Amino acid sequence: MDSHKPSGKGRLWPYHLCAAATVTAWGLSLVSTRVLLDHGLHPIEIYIYRFTLAYLALLCFCHKKILSNSFKDELLFLGCGLVAGSVYFISENVALEYTLVTNVSLITALPPLLTVLLVGLVYKTNRPGRGAYIGSVIAFLGVGLVIFNSSFNMELNPIGDLLSLLAAFCWAIYGLMLKPLNAHYTELFITRKVFFYGLLTGIPFLSIQPEIASPAILLEPVCMVNLLFLALVCSMGGYIMWAFAIVKIGPVTASNYLYFQPIITMIFAMIALGEKVTVVGYIGCALILFGVWLADYLQKRQLRKT
C-alpha cells in the first residue's frame, strides 16, 4: 500500500492533530520571537540561530541520503528553502520590529485563502468546492476582527504589514511546491532539505543587518529556552508534522488550521506581552472556529453527494 495515501477516513485524525499541534507551536513562536527581539537579538540572526540548531538536530535522524533524485528536484528543494525558510521567516521576524505580534499573526493567517486560489489556478482538476471558499471567507472575517482586539488603538506600520503579507504568499506557494516532492521523498528528507537551503539562502541576508548581537546573549536562560523552542519544536517538529498533514489531508484542509494561529498568538501575547483581548477579539475567534468547521463540513457534504 502507498504510504502517502489515506487508508480510511477514521485514520485521518492523527494528521488533523499534527496540523493543529503545528499551528499551536507556530502561534507561540511569534511571541517567543518577540521575546528574543526584546532581549537584544536581531531578526536575521534569530532566524540563522534557529535554523542552524534545527538542521543539526534533524541531521542526527536523517543523514543517509544527501542528494535528491534529480537536479530538477534539487532546484525545487532550493525554491522551498527560499520561500518557506529564509524569505518567510526573515520577513516575519523583521515585521515584528515594525508592528504588533497580533498584526503579524493576522496577516500570516492568509495562506488558507491564498492556497484555495492557487490550488484552483495550478491544479484545475483539483479545484476546491464552494464550501472551502465560504468557510475561508467567514474565517478570514474573524481574523480581521482579531487584529482590532485592543480597542482599535494599534499603530499599523505599512512596512511590517507588507513584510507579513510577503510571508503569507511564501507559505501558500510552499504548500503547492510540496505536492510533487511528497510523491518521491519522506517527510524527514523533505524537511532536512528545506532547512539546509533555508539556512544557505538566509546567510546572505546577514549583510543587510546593521549589527550582530553579542553571543553572550545566547547564554541567558530566557534566550536559550526560546531559541531551543523555536528550533526543536516550531521548526524541526513543526515542519515534519506539517509535511505529514499536507500529504494526508491535503494543502487546503491543512492550511485552514492556520486560522487558529491568531487565536493562540492573541491569548499568549496577552499573557506574556500584555496585549489586551476585547469583545471584538473574542467575536473574531468565534468566527475563525466557525469558518474552519463550516469549510470542512461543506466539503465533506459535497463529497458525499458526488
Side-chain angles (χ1 to χ4, degrees), residues 137-154:
V137 170
I138 293 174
F140 183 64
L141 289 175
V143 174
L145 291 178
V146 168
I147 195 174
F148 297 109
N149 74 86
S150 294
S151 302
F152 304 96
N153 292 324
M154 293 186 176

Side-chain angles (χ1 to χ4, degrees), residues 118-128:
L118 289 175
V119 166
L121 289 173
V122 177
Y123 303 108
K124 298 185 183 300
T125 59
N126 190 29
R127 289 185 174 178

Side-chain angles (χ1 to χ4, degrees), residues 33-208:
T33 301
R34 180 69 258 180
V35 170
L36 291 173
L37 290 170
D38 290 341
H39 278 75
L41 289 172
H42 302 294
I44 299 175
E45 62 187 356
I46 290 174
Y47 167 74
I48 296 296
Y49 290 140
R50 172 180 177 174
F51 262 58
T52 299
L53 288 172
Y55 178 73
L56 292 176
L58 189 56
L59 198 60
C60 296
F61 301 97
C62 180
H63 54 266
K64 292 183 179 180
K65 182 179 175 65
I66 301 300
L67 298 177
S68 56
N69 298 336
S70 67
F71 182 69
K72 180 182 177 181
D73 285 353
E74 202 70 28
L75 289 177
L76 192 55
F77 278 120
L78 172 62
C80 286
L82 184 66
V83 298
S86 56
V87 176
Y88 177 86
F89 281 100
I90 290 173
S91 297
E92 185 179 79
N93 288 359
V94 174
L96 288 170
E97 288 197 317
Y98 291 97
T99 190
L100 295 178
V101 170
T102 309
N103 295 47
V104 178
S105 184
L106 161 75
I107 298 171
T108 53
L110 274 171
L113 286 176
L114 299 175
T115 302
V116 166
L117 298 176
L118 289 175
V119 166
L121 289 173
V122 177
Y123 303 108
K124 298 185 183 300
T125 59
N126 190 29
R127 289 185 174 178
R130 184 175 60 180
Y133 290 98
I134 295 173
S136 294
V137 170
I138 293 174
F140 183 64
L141 289 175
V143 174
L145 291 178
V146 168
I147 195 174
F148 297 109
N149 74 86
S150 294
S151 302
F152 304 96
N153 292 324
M154 293 186 176
E155 296 180 1
L156 301 178
N157 190 305
I159 295 177
D161 293 339
L162 289 174
L163 287 171
S164 300
L165 186 60
L166 172 62
F169 269 104
C170 285
W171 194 259
I173 294 171
Y174 173 61
L176 297 182
M177 292 177 72
L178 277 179
K179 189 177 179 69
L181 295 173
N182 282 327
H184 303 289
Y185 304 99
T186 66
E187 286 76 13
L188 279 174
F189 182 82
I190 291 172
T191 304
R192 198 202 74 209
K193 296 293 284 187
V194 171
F195 283 5
F196 174 76
Y197 283 116
L199 182 59
L200 190 66
T201 57
I203 292 174
F205 284 94
L206 287 171
S207 63
I208 65 174

